[in-house]
Amino acid sequence: MAKLYFRYGAMNSGKSTALMQVAYNYEERGLRVLILKPSVDTKGDDCLVSRLGVTRKVDHLVTPQDNILFLVAEQAAKGPKLACVLCDESQFFTAEQAEQLFMVTVDLGIPVICYGLRTDFAMRGFPGSTRLLELAHTIEEMKTICTCGRKATCNARKVGGRFIFEGAQVAIDMENSVEYQSLCPQCYFEEKRKARR
């Protein structure tokens, strides 16, 4: 049975790198993959970007209006059999698109592996991630560490070098002086208290 996997982790946990490694493993064995990325994520344009410096072109940028089930069915009808669908920055998919990814496994029998954030910089769920957590057959956490050495689970946003805790849910890393830092809950709330002073 094909399954929907959701592999989530804080920023810097190696999600994009892991996706590219999985794609390489499939392709090394002569199997075909389809790589999707939400168009909302403008970092790298139509490429996946790893913090290690590795990049890879995606097969399709998905707009919020796209029906992923139809898109995958159309791609599956072309060329060799489609072995797997790999999705980066899955938090930016709509809740409906997360459901469509689930239906790819049900209706088309194609495994889907999604990589993304669970929560935003304010520790609120993204619609896509929340629905993936509800639907995925398998949920796996990818781990990273805070600057203090503890496990990082929070994505803190910095603008112009200062931590901020209010604003729009979506602000792309490395654009408009925005950057993110993975923090443990203790360091996250310490920075939040400092920002309020």
Side-chain angles (χ1 to χ4, degrees), residues 38-41 64 88-94 97 117 126 128-129 169-172:
S39 63
V40 172
D41 180 32
D88 200 28
E89 303 293 353
S90 298
Q91 71 274 4
F92 294 138
F93 289 130
T94 66
Q97 288 173 328
L117 301 174
F126 290 93
S129 301
Q169 185 173 50
V170 178
I172 303 302

Side-chain angles (χ1 to χ4, degrees), residues 40-60:
V40 172
D41 180 32
T42 52
K43 182 172 139 189
D45 297 318
D46 63 348
C47 289
L48 303 178
V49 178
S50 164
R51 291 178 193 280
L52 295 179
V54 182
T55 62
R56 178 179 172 142
K57 194 168 174 59
V58 300
D59 296 304
H60 193 85

Side-chain angles (χ1 to χ4, degrees), residues 11-151:
M11 300 287 286
N12 303 314
S13 60
K15 297 177 297 296
S16 297
T17 305
L19 185 157
M20 287 187 263
Q21 181 65 53
V22 169
Y24 177 83
N25 290 345
Y26 271 101
E27 292 169 341
E28 186 180 39
R29 287 155 183 80
L31 300 170
R32 181 174 161 234
V33 298
L34 179 67
I35 300 177
L36 307 177
K37 174 181 149 179
S39 63
V40 172
D41 180 32
T42 52
K43 182 172 139 189
D45 297 318
D46 63 348
C47 289
L48 303 178
V49 178
S50 164
R51 291 178 193 280
L52 295 179
V54 182
T55 62
R56 178 179 172 142
K57 194 168 174 59
V58 300
D59 296 304
H60 193 85
L61 285 174
V62 179
T63 70
Q65 296 76 35
D66 285 338
N67 183 312
I68 295 177
L69 178 59
F70 293 163
L71 190 153
V72 174
E74 186 178 83
Q75 291 301 312
K78 300 175 182 175
K81 181 182 176 189
L82 193 53
C84 188
V85 175
L86 300 169
C87 304
D88 200 28
E89 303 293 353
S90 298
Q91 71 274 4
F92 294 138
F93 289 130
T94 66
E96 294 78 16
Q97 288 173 328
E99 292 170 13
Q100 292 159 9
L101 287 164
F102 179 74
M103 293 310 293
V104 166
T105 69
V106 174
D107 288 348
L108 304 178
I110 301 170
V112 177
I113 307 174
C114 294
Y115 295 82
L117 301 174
R118 181 177 59 166
T119 58
D120 66 14
F121 76 107
M123 296 183 69
R124 292 188 191 97
F126 290 93
S129 301
T130 299
R131 197 68 181 122
L132 285 168
L133 286 165
E134 294 166 345
L135 294 171
H137 296 94
T138 302
I139 299 166
E140 301 167 2
E141 181 182 19
M142 299 181 69
K143 297 175 179 68
T144 190
I145 57 169
C146 179
T147 54
C148 72
R150 290 183 285 240
K151 178 180 159 185

